Amino acid sequence: MAFRLKLVPDNTKIDFFKNQALTFGFAILSMVASVIIVAIMGLNFGIDFRGGTTIRAETTTEIDLGEYRSALEALDLGDVVITEVYDPSFRADQHVAQIRIQAQDDSESVTPEMIAQVEAELEKVDPAVNFTSVESVGPKVSGELIQSAVLSVLAAAAGIGIYIWMRFEWQFSLGTVLASLHDVIVTVGLFSLFQIKFDLTTVAALLTIMGYSVNDTVVVFDRLRENLQKYKTTPLRDLMNLSLNETLGRTVMVVATMLLSLIALLIFGGDVLRGFVAAITFGVVLGTYSSIYMAKNFVLWLGVNREPKEKKKAGTTFADIDA
């Protein structure tokens, strides 16, 4: 007989509304606390948002990024990101690295003297290295990137709201958007609290979090819509509990699988990936919590139109659109 791993027993009957004032209140309180923390402590912006200088280095020998980082640590330059560039058009003996250094003391860019020191240290590691370009990103461009990051998150939230409204009803749309914004805001608050570096990869992680949160919430709402058609007289609260219990096994299995890979990346992924993976890890946990304890409460508070199917389908006129 085949072995099947079950993290959740069949036919669970958990009352997810038992302590709804506490669970839903904690979600709202965490959003407010996150906004306050960001306002007081600020974010530990990376080079993308703070401004700085990018040096392009080329060499004919294999690049050891660890040696490059070690060589620059003594200069105390603050946030330094070193990445190797790959391009199919490169020669076999052409190896390229980008060294990104944060602006020093709120200046427009790294001083020529500091750039000379960086180049000298790297030449000690690799005498064959050549520096082909030096580019600076000032505070004005960094400010525009911050605005673009905020707009991208808001645009994603608006798009999610429109999709869920078309797929279900406007009440589901508002609940999903609120849950997604909860995940993003609290994640940003955690980044501020622990002063984890916040850069463009973190913004990409926040958008990924929104997608995961929506996917998790839609699974529950889709089952709820099926149950609304199946049990026409059952109270909405009981149907929500039933839907959550029916999808609980899937939710726990997905979260456990994702956390296994994310924790491995947190431990072994290195500094370059740590901020991105940390954001995704926070988001997976928060997204699961908001899908179970936040989105449904908001929908229950707003209510759902439960007219008979011949008068109005459970959902909107767009309810039969394939996901």
Side-chain angles (χ1 to χ4, degrees), residues 14-23 237 241 293 296:
I14 301 172
D15 184 2
F16 292 98
F17 289 93
K18 184 176 181 180
N19 299 305
Q20 62 176 332
L22 180 62
T23 55
R237 171 172 168 158
N241 264 328
Y293 290 112
K296 66 175 179 49

Side-chain angles (χ1 to χ4, degrees), residues 47 69 72 77-82 99-102 197:
I47 295 173
R69 293 190 184 98
L72 299 182
L77 299 173
D79 187 14
V80 177
V81 178
I82 305 176
I99 301 96
R100 298 163 61 190
I101 307 167
Q102 73 174 49
K197 185 173 65 177

